[in-house]
Amino acid sequence: MTHPAPTRRWDDIALAALLVGVAALLLTTRRQGMTGDEPRYLLYAASLIRHGSFTMPLGEWSAIHRAATGLPAADLPPSLVGSSGPSHPVYVAALLAPFTLLSAQAPRFVTLMVGLAGLVAVHRLCRLAAGPRAAILTTLVAALTVPLMPYLHLFYMEAWIFALAAFAWWRVQPAGAGLRADLLTAIVITAIPFAHMRGSVVAAALYAFLLWPAVRAGEWRRAALLLLPGIAGLALLVALNLAIHGSITGPVNSARPPLPWAWAEVLPMQLFNVRHGLLAYAPIWILGMAGLAAGAWKDAPLARQGLALLLVAAVTGVGVNPGEGWPARFWVLSMPMLAVGLAHWIGKERGIAMRLPGALLLLLTAINTVLFFAGPNNFLENRQTTMSYGVVFDRVLPLHFGLLLPVELDDPTQRAALARLLLGFGALFLLGIGAMLRPGWRFALPMTLVILGGVDLARVTNLPREAFTLETGNGAARVTLPTPRPLVALQFGDGREMWSYETDNRLDLQVTRADGTVIRQSHLVARQVLPLRCLGSIAAITVTSPTGLDVAGAAAYRLRLYAPASAVERLATRFRIGCGDRPEEIQP
């Protein structure tokens, strides 16, 4: 009996269509601005092919910058650190240097091709983990959400380390099948630190996975041969780093990974803060984390590896200061692992009860996908608050998720905001693990309730101008409410400004409640959104600046009062859940 020749897998055809569609969207919709580290990488590449160095005359750079952005450059990007060499990695820039002779945008196009190749590897990993349906759905989500979507075709290193890590992890799975194949895998792993040192510890973990079959079988000669590419690559990397950067570890700047005692502060902020939070702009990935944990508990080999790699990437690849850029930049390296976790979740979905939490989280995540393709550069303005979520509140829904997010952990109200988010997403994580281990409504229904509760917390109203009076003068702004009421926040000033990043301005806040009690908070870091939760019915607010910030001018430019419309907010305030420390009170 003969069998018909196998046809091409349907998910491969779907994957090809997906990649073409993603490329078309990114290449034909509104262009992302060239900002942050990208001008530095373009300078390195263009200078190297033209001058054999990593810098060039300002006039020549201005012409290249005009070709890339439509605007001339007033000065060279701060790309060198004294005499110690370039401040950022240069090896991918050197690889792409010839392409800059074709076009200043050519490195972006090459990076897009590399990123799409990384998505192919992610699809293969997810297919191994959970089958073709989960694989294609997860790849689609990964391609069109934060954090990968904004960086797929920028001349940053994120797409490169993502693609190399995904491809290497995929190739590690059949480790031990053939020496030549394993040697090629070793070379791919060795290339990761050349793209960026931020991926070096993940590369070391992948190398351990590659060596393990030979070590477990006692094939020491094979293990020694597999070590050779790694040793040679490490020696070359050290030599080049010393020659170019003057340091074994290469460039070290403010984007360095946190030291262990700072993990508890840095990692939560990189999950939730207004500029770079992963879950702040893509809450769907909490299911990726739960999927990895549950899969590891059930002894799924790929999930165990993914959980280990995710933890390594979190503590060594998530830096302290991502700088100017789109959200969740440092989590791009973790996308292969998060995608495998999400595929595990999708593979376990059974019935409406299990599908509903994922659908709700995906819908919230898709809001930012739509916002990105409508105006990608709006995300760069998320400095003092989320200007992107502000668009949703002003034009579409009575929901302002930005008011739930912390900026920095430098005052009690910011820490209280983070505590609320940790409580909610922690519950989703634990319930998600339970739902995967015991599929059905028992855990999925509480997940849905937690998500709906979080959405309800974002319900606020913008008080009309006639609901309060504003007095400005002598560097102060005073808001009076004829009818006292609870408030969520006061927002004032131009959201595109960066008060607390550019200067050390401070604010003094005085809140008068309906009973005459006065609450004072002194020397707050100057921010344009002042949380007012848990303060009771408010009759008046006075804002001054001991450092001379023009509070009156900022309030005259724009001032908003947000009042709660949330049942969950009222309940949380009543029991002081997520309210933080009680502020100083002065009796009338």
Side-chain angles (χ1 to χ4, degrees):
M1 179 179 179
T2 60
H3 297 275
T7 57
R8 185 175 297 277
R9 298 180 63 119
W10 70 265
D11 60 319
D12 285 339
I13 299 173
L15 176 65
L18 185 157
L19 297 178
V20 171
V22 169
L25 275 173
L26 291 172
L27 293 173
T28 59
T29 51
R30 296 186 181 183
R31 181 183 294 179
Q32 291 170 255
M34 181 176 289
T35 186
D37 294 340
E38 192 172 17
R40 297 180 178 93
Y41 292 127
L42 180 60
L43 174 66
Y44 295 155
S47 299
L48 192 61
I49 195 66
R50 291 168 173 81
H51 299 281
S53 68
F54 295 111
T55 190
M56 64 171 63
L58 175 58
E60 187 177 1
W61 166 246
S62 184
I64 293 173
H65 193 273
R66 179 190 290 274
T69 66
L71 297 171
D75 48 32
L76 291 170
S79 55
L80 303 178
V81 181
S83 60
S84 62
S87 59
H88 291 70
V90 299
Y91 306 120
V92 171
L95 180 67
L96 299 190
F99 292 94
T100 63
L101 297 175
L102 301 175
S103 165
Q105 292 291 334
R108 282 191 169 189
F109 182 80
V110 176
T111 300
L112 175 60
M113 296 300 105
V114 170
L116 295 178
L119 284 172
V120 173
V122 164
H123 174 265
R124 296 298 190 261
L125 284 164
C126 293
R127 193 162 70 183
L128 286 173
R133 173 184 167 275
I136 198 68
L137 290 175
T138 301
T139 307
L140 176 63
V141 173
L144 293 178
T145 63
V146 168
L148 187 57
M149 173 181 61
Y151 290 98
L152 263 180
H153 79 311
L154 294 183
F155 188 16
Y156 277 73
M157 298 303 103
E158 270 57 39
W160 289 82
I161 56 177
F162 154 75
L164 287 169
F167 189 62
W169 189 22
W170 173 48
R171 289 194 57 86
V172 161
Q173 300 316 304
L179 181 60
R180 289 184 180 180
D182 285 354
L183 285 171
L184 176 58
T185 304
I187 293 172
V188 175
I189 295 172
T190 303
I192 295 174
F194 282 86
H196 203 293
M197 288 295 292
R198 196 163 61 243
S200 57
V201 186
V202 169
L206 287 167
Y207 222 112
F209 294 157
L210 176 66
L211 292 173
W212 176 242
V215 172
R216 182 177 56 186
E219 297 177 356
W220 303 110
R221 179 176 177 275
R222 181 188 185 90
L225 289 172
L226 290 177
L227 275 173
L228 290 179
I231 294 172
L234 179 61
L236 178 61
L237 181 63
V238 168
L240 288 173
N241 281 346
L242 286 171
I244 296 172
H245 300 286
S247 166
I248 291 176
T249 58
V252 177
N253 51 47
S254 62
R256 60 171 177 78
L259 297 170
W261 49 85
W263 288 343
E265 177 179 341
V266 172
L267 293 180
M269 289 303 290
Q270 294 303 320
L271 287 172
F272 298 115
N273 92 321
V274 297
R275 297 195 77 191
H276 298 291
L278 169 65
L279 299 178
Y281 296 99
I284 187 67
W285 294 115
I286 192 66
L287 297 184
M289 299 175 190
L292 285 178
W297 182 271
K298 296 288 285 186
D299 290 332
L302 204 58
R304 287 202 309 268
Q305 289 183 0
L307 184 59
L309 290 172
L310 179 63
L311 292 173
V312 168
V315 299
T316 65
V318 175
V320 172
N321 176 25
E324 182 84 354
W326 282 263
R329 172 185 175 185
F330 287 153
W331 292 100
V332 174
L333 175 60
S334 302
M335 281 308 300
M337 296 77 91
L338 291 172
V340 166
L342 183 59
H344 272 288
W345 170 270
I346 293 174
K348 288 290 186 180
E349 286 182 335
R350 298 291 185 273
I352 294 177
M354 277 286 287
R355 290 187 171 92
L356 195 53
L360 289 172
L361 291 172
L362 183 59
L363 180 62
L364 295 173
T365 302
I367 290 173
N368 288 296
T369 299
V370 173
L371 290 173
F372 175 81
F373 284 111
N377 297 322
N378 289 337
F379 285 89
L380 297 177
E381 306 298 339
N382 292 344
R383 309 178 194 279
Q384 294 279 322
T385 184
T386 48
M387 302 286 282
S388 49
Y389 279 136
V391 171
V392 176
F393 177 76
D394 289 339
R395 301 181 184 179
V396 186
L397 297 169
L399 302 171
H400 201 319
F401 295 103
L403 299 179
L404 302 176
L405 305 176
V407 181
E408 295 290 346
L409 299 182
D410 46 21
D411 69 59
T413 57
Q414 301 288 322
R415 292 190 288 273
L418 178 61
R420 286 187 172 196
L421 290 165
L422 287 172
L423 180 64
F425 277 93
L428 282 179
F429 175 71
L430 295 175
L431 290 169
I433 294 174
M436 286 195 63
L437 298 178
R438 286 193 169 186
W441 63 269
R442 291 177 183 84
F443 292 97
L445 181 58
M447 288 184 72
T448 300
L449 295 177
V450 171
I451 295 167
L452 293 177
V455 172
D456 182 68
L457 274 174
R459 287 199 304 130
V460 296
T461 58
N462 178 23
L463 292 187
R465 188 64 181 81
E466 58 270 18
F468 62 90
T469 60
L470 171 64
E471 301 173 65
T472 59
N474 298 321
R478 179 176 174 82
V479 177
T480 304
L481 289 87
T483 304
R485 61 182 301 166
L487 296 174
V488 170
L490 179 152
Q491 180 178 5
F492 67 120
D494 183 354
R496 294 166 295 183
E497 296 177 351
M498 297 175 63
W499 295 350
S500 58
Y501 293 93
E502 295 177 345
T503 62
D504 191 27
N505 279 315
R506 300 283 167 162
L507 297 176
D508 290 339
L509 175 66
Q510 179 175 300
V511 176
T512 304
R513 296 197 288 206
D515 61 3
T517 304
V518 175
I519 296 172
R520 290 178 180 170
Q521 294 176 287
S522 302
H523 229 62
L524 298 173
V525 174
R527 298 221 166 84
Q528 295 168 5
V529 176
L530 301 177
L532 300 171
R533 289 184 175 89
C534 305
L535 298 183
S537 291
I538 295 175
I541 305 165
T542 302
V543 183
T544 57
S545 174
T547 56
L549 180 69
D550 185 11
V551 172
Y557 179 88
R558 181 181 66 168
L559 187 139
R560 284 183 169 187
L561 292 178
Y562 296 100
S566 162
V568 175
E569 178 70 49
R570 290 193 294 271
L571 187 64
T573 301
R574 179 179 178 184
F575 293 100
R576 294 198 58 80
I577 299 174
C579 288
D581 300 331
R582 291 182 180 272
E584 174 191 1
E585 296 184 6
I586 301 175
Q587 297 299 322

